[in-house]
Amino acid sequence: MLTLFSSDHALHHPRTEMADGKLVSAVEIPSRAELIVDAVETARLGPIEPPQTIEFDTLTSVHDARYVEFLKEFWRAWLDSGRDPKVHDAFPFVWPMHGLRRITTRHLDGLMGRYSFDAGTPMGPGTWKAALSSAAVARTGALRVVEDQQPVFSLCRPPGHHAMPDAFGGYCFLNNAAIAAQTFLDAGSSRVAILDVDYHHGNGTQSIFYNRRDVLFISIHADPMDEYPYFLGHADELGAGVGEGANLNLPLPLGTGWEDYKEALALALRTVNQSGAEALVVSLGLDTYEGDPISQFRLNTLDFVKMGAAIRSVDKPTLIVLEGGYATDALASNALAFFEGYLGG
Ligand code: Q9C
Ligand code: ZN
């Protein structure tokens, strides 16, 4: 299996994030991707290649152009506003909600609030370049699936599934899975399914395609009544307009283990199989692991073998896109376990 990877991911290297009323150590850190790419190499899963450059127009096929412009210009604006160039963890802390006006201000703090939805997603000098490389890894992955008619792994970092049409959050800036799905459509697929198995609901991916029929979004995740992102990912969100019926959320209780998880996965896979989709994008989060530091499901390493095997039963051109997963001591083995099952190891 081909893996796409860009070393530019390391240009985004947050040290801290806002949580529990204080700054704590960041968990979405460069070693995540390094551990997984090293494992792919050591296990000889196949070639590891860099992505092609990605066009601005590709980004704006799923994101608001002014939002992408904001991400691109952020660090220059930070410096121009006279702020500390040594800071590499910048956070928003005021948002245009609850009747406040959603306007784009001159002040950078207003701009950051306009284009974000949480305070847990630090931005620094290299964030834009890293996010762009991650999106390129996803897009090139989809193009290679079409070209080679083989499954491909896009080892994306930073992750993407929380990124909204016009807002960053949840450690995500550009929605890699959405860009990949749109790439399949632009290459001739009439319908694409996205299966999101990250522990957290993919609120960004859902939002991007909520009013559309051509992309079916299915997500298995911790119940947002009890878990981030709280304000989206509930079972009654079914899609809207012509997209009604093209969105399926399968929230599960905190503490869920494989016995219950596999039932939800079977339902999700049946739905994918019956959807008429001509390609599949898997948003692969490894944060369903029992040892994940910020998550509360109970899958073990062997369960990822079973997950990979179950997902492989879908007979469609498939791109696997990396999302979350923060247990650095187990990321390599969990990724390899998934691919062992997926590739029939
Ligand atoms: N102290 C992904 O897995 N913050 N994003 C949780 C923990 C948000 C996770 C707070 C977690 C976002 C791609
Ligand atoms: Zn996650």
Side-chain angles (χ1 to χ4, degrees):
M1 181 193 59
L2 170 65
T3 295
L4 288 153
F5 174 74
S6 169
S7 47
D8 280 356
H9 80 85
L11 297 169
H12 177 60
H13 46 78
R15 286 179 201 169
T16 54
E17 65 172 271
M18 299 274 279
D20 308 328
K22 56 185 188 293
L23 285 175
V24 300
S25 292
V27 295
E28 203 297 284
I29 49 179
S31 61
R32 295 181 57 244
E34 297 300 334
L35 287 161
I36 296 175
V37 81
D38 287 352
V40 166
E41 191 172 4
T42 310
R44 299 178 191 275
L45 286 196
I48 299 168
E49 294 180 17
Q52 300 163 219
T53 55
I54 186 166
E55 307 288 327
F56 193 85
D57 283 357
T58 305
L59 305 177
T60 57
S61 68
V62 302
H63 290 290
D64 180 290
R66 279 158 301 192
Y67 168 64
V68 179
E69 209 57 59
F70 158 79
L71 290 177
K72 181 163 176 259
E73 299 304 328
F74 171 77
W75 191 248
R76 170 75 3 224
W78 179 270
L79 296 178
D80 287 352
S81 66
R83 295 166 86 153
D84 185 350
K86 291 188 298 296
V87 166
H88 57 82
D89 295 338
F91 304 95
F93 47 82
V94 54
W95 290 274
M97 334 218 23
H98 310 292
L100 301 180
R101 292 176 64 190
R102 212 169 179 198
I103 49 182
T104 47
T105 62
R106 266 191 295 275
H107 198 285
L108 191 52
D109 291 343
L111 266 185
M112 272 197 281
R114 167 63 186 82
Y115 290 121
S116 68
F117 67 91
D118 74 19
T121 308
M123 288 183 83
T127 298
W128 162 249
K129 227 180 152 191
L132 191 64
S133 79
S134 194
V137 162
R139 171 160 173 87
T140 306
L143 292 171
R144 289 299 294 269
V145 170
V146 172
E147 215 175 284
D148 308 349
Q149 291 295 308
Q150 299 277 341
V152 171
F153 177 34
S154 284
L155 206 173
C156 292
R157 182 184 172 271
H161 76 150
H162 295 299
M164 302 286 275
D166 62 353
F168 68 93
Y171 316 146
C172 302
F173 303 93
L174 295 170
N175 197 308
N176 307 315
I179 287 164
Q182 187 62 49
T183 299
F184 279 121
L185 294 173
D186 294 344
S189 294
S190 60
R191 196 166 206 223
V192 179
I194 301 176
L195 172 62
D196 189 324
V197 296
D198 188 278
Y199 169 79
H200 304 93
H201 176 250
N203 58 284
T205 318
Q206 169 171 313
S207 297
I208 287 167
F209 298 118
Y210 204 64
N211 293 286
R212 289 168 54 171
R213 268 209 87 59
D214 54 352
V215 178
L216 170 66
F217 179 70
I218 304 171
S219 180
I220 307 170
H221 51 269
D223 188 340
M225 289 303 278
D226 300 310
E227 185 54 276
Y228 184 94
Y230 310 113
F231 307 113
L232 215 60
H234 303 270
D236 62 350
E237 297 157 13
L238 302 173
V242 295
E244 199 175 330
N247 195 86
L248 176 63
N249 284 325
L250 301 171
L252 298 173
L254 303 188
T256 292
W258 179 250
E259 282 312 302
D260 296 314
Y261 193 95
K262 74 171 196 303
E263 302 297 332
L265 183 59
L267 172 57
L269 292 171
R270 275 201 302 281
T271 309
V272 171
N273 280 320
Q274 292 164 5
S275 66
E278 294 171 356
L280 173 65
V281 176
V282 179
S283 269
L284 176 64
L286 297 168
D287 42 9
T288 49
Y289 177 57
E290 57 189 356
D292 193 273
I294 65 166
S295 310
Q296 298 183 60
F297 276 1
R298 292 190 188 138
L299 303 199
N300 61 39
T301 300
L302 285 176
D303 296 331
F304 285 105
V305 181
K306 298 174 198 160
M307 185 192 288
I311 292 175
R312 187 56 190 263
S313 71
V314 174
D315 185 24
K316 298 178 192 296
T318 297
L319 178 71
I320 316 269
V321 173
L322 185 67
E323 300 286 358
Y326 308 98
T328 46
D329 59 336
L331 271 180
S333 37
N334 290 341
L336 288 184
F338 178 88
F339 288 112
E340 183 189 327
Y342 189 76
L343 301 169

